[in-house]
Amino acid sequence: AEGVVVAIDGPSGSGKSSTAKGVASARDLWYLDTGAMYRAMTWWMQHHGVDADDAAAVAEAAGRPDISMGTDPAAPTVHVDGRDVAREIRTQQVTAGVSAVSAVPAVRERLVAMQRETIALARSRAAGIVVEGRDITTVVAPDAQVKIYLTASAEARAHRRSGELSGSDIDAVQADLARRDLLDSSRADSPLTQTADALELETTGLGLDEVVAILLELTDRAV
Ligand code: C5P
């Protein structure tokens, strides 16, 4: 799998992260969670008192956080200004602000550049990489050898997400996912979109192992 790029897009709760990590681990590839980068940017804004809904203020500060991502699928790390924020970026507060922050073009410009650098670094080391997000197949790596759009029913996605979170109510989770999906797919800059050249994989009713196995077959065929 030398140098292969596997690009995975899809809405929240479609199983992207578990699937991407499973594929990367099985084939010894690097792993990049781009959603974690938008969350890290959002965490920094909130931590520094920048209002996530103030697009001009967010744009002005977008160059300031020092975000660094570990690419080991068994232990992906996220650091902002040297601080481990892996847990803090999953809070309700960050989740509530991330769609607004990620809609700001200056934020996307900077993070997409970082994502492309990581992909180039993987290639230069003859390592493959699995990259997951919302605009990987369309904007970040349209030349990826494997391009997948993962989907699942709204109920299945809410169930998966509420299993990851503790003690949250399913209806609230489903409403939050719907809100984020609407914002992510209706923004002007790089919206979540499904294009004809990415293979759609509907995962409702499939187990993680089955989805990983399908992607491994596609990955092996591509190299
Ligand atoms: O994947 P996750 O749910 O952690 O992503 C958090 C948010 O980051 C998404 O709701 C979306 O607003 C944003 N995002 C994005 N582009 C990506 C990945 C995530 O805009 N490539």
Side-chain angles (χ1 to χ4, degrees), residues 9-13 16-17 33-36 38-39 90 95 98-100 102-103 108 115 132-136 140 161 180-181 183-184 187 190:
D9 285 327
S12 319
K16 292 189 305 287
S17 293
D33 175 0
T34 65
Y38 289 94
R39 288 173 178 275
R90 306 289 164 193
T95 300
V98 67
S99 290
S102 69
R108 306 204 68 83
Q115 290 154 16
E132 55 134 319
R134 302 290 188 292
D135 62 343
I136 312 306
V140 175
R161 260 303 144 95
R180 266 203 299 147
D181 289 349
L183 290 171
D184 292 343
R187 69 183 174 219
S190 313

Side-chain angles (χ1 to χ4, degrees), residues 48-212:
H48 288 82
V50 178
D51 178 2
D53 289 316
D54 183 345
V58 169
E60 200 180 299
R64 291 179 55 201
D66 173 21
I67 297 170
S68 105
M69 308 294 295
T71 55
D72 176 356
T77 56
V78 191
H79 288 87
V80 179
D81 298 338
R83 169 169 167 170
D84 176 359
V85 294
R87 250 176 253 261
E88 285 162 276
I89 61 168
R90 306 289 164 193
T91 59
Q92 262 313 312
Q93 196 189 354
V94 169
T95 300
V98 67
S99 290
V101 170
S102 69
V104 175
V107 167
R108 306 204 68 83
E109 212 174 291
R110 174 148 190 250
L111 295 185
V112 167
M114 287 176 56
Q115 290 154 16
R116 289 183 176 147
E117 272 171 33
T118 302
I119 294 169
L121 190 63
R123 280 182 162 155
S124 75
R125 305 249 177 101
I129 185 167
V130 182
V131 187
E132 55 134 319
R134 302 290 188 292
D135 62 343
I136 312 306
T137 63
T138 53
V139 174
V140 175
D143 56 346
Q145 290 94 328
V146 182
K147 296 198 267 185
I148 309 286
Y149 189 92
L150 285 189
T151 59
S153 71
E155 277 168 350
R157 296 193 286 113
H159 272 281
R160 282 175 193 162
R161 260 303 144 95
S162 60
E164 289 165 20
L165 308 163
S166 55
S168 46
D169 153 55
I170 269 279
D171 291 341
V173 172
Q174 196 168 330
D176 177 61
L177 292 187
R179 180 190 69 86
R180 266 203 299 147
D181 289 349
L182 180 65
L183 290 171
D184 292 343
S185 48
S186 63
R187 69 183 174 219
D189 189 349
S190 313
L192 170 67
T193 36
Q194 190 173 357
T195 55
D197 63 338
L199 183 82
E200 175 178 350
L201 189 53
E202 155 65 62
T203 67
T204 311
L206 292 181
L208 174 60
D209 289 355
E210 294 170 289
V211 180
V212 170

